[in-house]
């Protein structure tokens, strides 16, 4: 049978492990949020470029 101190130490270790896991999950979530924003920004750049190229293409077609 575990003594009170042993049980307290086990619970403390478990809490520490869970806190560490929670912190890692928070960091992962923050990374994912940053990555998603970077992806949205990059996608917007590509959309803008595409619209510019389409406009230039339409101008060239109109000149012909």
């Amino acid at each position: 049978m575990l003594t009170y101190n042993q049980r307290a130490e086990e619970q403390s270790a478990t809490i520490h492990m869970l806190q560490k896991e929670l912190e890692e999950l928070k960091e992962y979530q923050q990374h994912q949020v940053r990555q998603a924003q970077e992806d949205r920004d990059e996608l917007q750049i590509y959309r803008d470029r595409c619209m510019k190229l389409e406009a230039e293409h339409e101008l060239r077609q109109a000149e012909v």
Side-chain angles (χ1 to χ4, degrees), residues 1-50:
M1 179 176 273
L2 296 175
T3 67
Y4 176 79
N5 286 340
Q6 289 172 324
R7 186 164 182 224
E9 287 175 11
E10 285 184 1
Q11 288 177 343
S12 178
T14 300
I15 289 171
H16 179 71
M17 181 185 67
L18 291 172
Q19 287 173 332
K20 183 178 179 186
E21 185 177 346
L22 179 61
E23 185 61 33
E24 290 172 356
L25 288 171
K26 286 179 181 178
E27 289 174 6
Y28 177 75
Q29 180 188 28
Q30 290 170 353
H31 171 75
Q32 292 299 313
V33 167
R34 284 191 304 273
Q35 185 64 48
Q37 183 60 49
E38 290 174 11
D39 291 347
R40 284 190 295 272
D41 293 345
E42 186 175 2
L43 182 58
Q44 187 59 49
I45 290 168
Y46 288 135
R47 285 179 178 150
D48 293 344
R49 287 181 184 172
C50 185

